[in-house]
Amino acid sequence: LFYTVIQFRKTAQKKIRKNIYDKILGAFLGAASGDALGAPEKEDVSGMDHAERYIKIFTEYAEKDNEGDSGLKAGCVTEAFSLAYFLALEMVKWSGGISEGGVRNVFLKWAEYLNYLEFADQEIKDMVKAWKNDFREQDIRIKGSSNKAAMMIFPIGLANEGNCLKAIQDAVDFTMHICTSGSSAAAAAAVAAAAARAMEPETVLDDVLEAGMWGGAEGYRISLENGAAAGGASVEKRIRLAIDIGRRGGSPEEIMEELRDLIGTGYAATESIPCAFGILAACPDDLMQAIKMGISICNETSVITSVVGALGGCLYGSKKMPKEWLEVINGVNNFDLEWVTRSVSAEYYEEER
């Protein structure tokens, strides 16, 4: 009897550990793969017929190069995921919460790795240069409605299973170190809250989408209380509209056209992040279809598909994606997604590394 009880406890522990591990790994793998798959296509409206070709190029990365404006080898991620990866690496070292020094370390350590800085947007390059030269933080932060915080923020949600408010507060705190706009903070809070909700074991898609809407509203409110610049479209209302568009039905092409026309797919936090929520709403229980839509929707596809992959991967788990993708991402980028998953699990869920 004693042996049976011990075995039951071990089995239960393994089951809990597996659930947490698979959700976190799914988020990292989905975000990385979405970023790498979205990188080739950024401007032209291509439709869904090109998605399979990009996935084939991605999977057969060894002898291929991306064809878009990134100039990166197929399978190589951009700053959309690589910054999230380094955020996760730094988070496990934070004992006193988010600080300017901690945020600064994320960017400076990321800038030393491979050639990501070379291919990054100019505002990221300027921020890294300024931090290296010890500029004041208020002189460094990105102005306007930027999606830079939102694209990399999902690890903060992974660390706050079910605690959406804490995820929102942490996301706003992080964002205020790199951006001045309330809409930037709102978008980051929406992603973090959705990820925190997706971490719960019995969560369904509607719960995740609702958390994103609430995160957008609450994140904006908190950011203004902390001195963020007001103005711009409402992230919360854009997310709500995008979700309505996704739920209306129709072909993928019809949904993507509506999202492009009414929400937008550009750099602004008020466009690319709500668009990602609309894609998720259009593809319930079908992560691969959502990733294909993200690849195909045009413009800021690496960010859009990375956010789709992070939230969908966390909600549905890593097994919803081809197992070859993990090998591709780790091999091309010299990453170890399993190790960073174990590290985050150990730090925030008391699992052994």
Side-chain angles (χ1 to χ4, degrees), residues 67-259:
E67 300 175 3
D69 61 359
S70 66
L72 297 173
K73 185 177 182 179
C76 190
V77 301
T78 73
E79 70 265 28
F81 176 76
S82 55
L83 279 166
Y85 185 84
F86 276 82
L87 171 59
L89 295 179
E90 288 300 307
M91 280 171 52
V92 300
K93 305 174 187 176
W94 292 347
S95 57
I98 297 168
S99 66
E100 178 184 353
V103 175
R104 173 178 175 170
N105 283 342
V106 173
F107 285 86
L108 294 186
K109 292 185 177 181
W110 165 83
E112 297 172 356
Y113 192 77
L114 294 180
N115 59 347
Y116 290 129
L117 185 60
E118 176 185 350
F119 293 101
D121 288 346
Q122 189 60 47
E123 62 188 9
I124 297 291
K125 293 179 180 178
D126 291 343
M127 185 184 300
V128 169
K129 182 179 178 180
W131 259 321
K132 285 182 177 179
N133 288 288
D134 293 323
F135 282 31
R136 297 180 306 167
E137 185 179 77
Q138 55 263 44
D139 297 328
I140 292 171
R141 294 187 299 166
I142 300 168
K143 297 176 176 60
S145 179
S146 167
N147 61 15
K148 296 309 179 191
M151 75 182 183
M152 62 182 289
I153 207 71
F154 74 87
I156 285 178
L158 302 183
N160 286 286
E161 177 192 6
N163 193 344
C164 294
L165 181 57
K166 178 65 162 53
I168 291 166
Q169 292 169 332
D170 287 349
V172 172
D173 193 2
F174 181 91
T175 304
M176 294 297 290
H177 287 291
I178 65 171
C179 299
T180 64
S181 169
S183 61
S184 297
V191 174
R197 192 72 172 92
M199 280 293 294
E200 294 188 273
E202 302 302 324
T203 297
V204 296
L205 178 59
D206 284 351
D207 298 329
V208 174
L209 300 177
E210 186 67 33
M213 288 185 282
W214 182 63
E218 190 69 4
Y220 187 70
R221 183 189 66 79
I222 294 172
S223 72
L224 294 189
E225 290 179 353
N226 286 273
S234 167
V235 170
E236 176 219 352
K237 292 179 180 179
R238 284 278 184 93
I239 291 175
R240 193 176 299 277
L241 176 57
I243 290 170
D244 288 344
I245 292 170
R247 286 172 170 166
R248 288 175 192 167
S251 70
E253 287 78 11
E254 290 170 338
I255 295 170
M256 287 191 293
E257 183 177 5
E258 284 287 279
L259 289 172

Side-chain angles (χ1 to χ4, degrees), residues 13-32:
Q13 289 171 355
K14 287 180 180 179
K15 188 174 183 180
I16 294 171
R17 180 159 51 246
K18 182 179 179 181
N19 178 63
I20 291 172
Y21 180 91
D22 189 53
K23 280 182 171 289
I24 295 175
L25 180 60
F28 282 121
L29 180 58

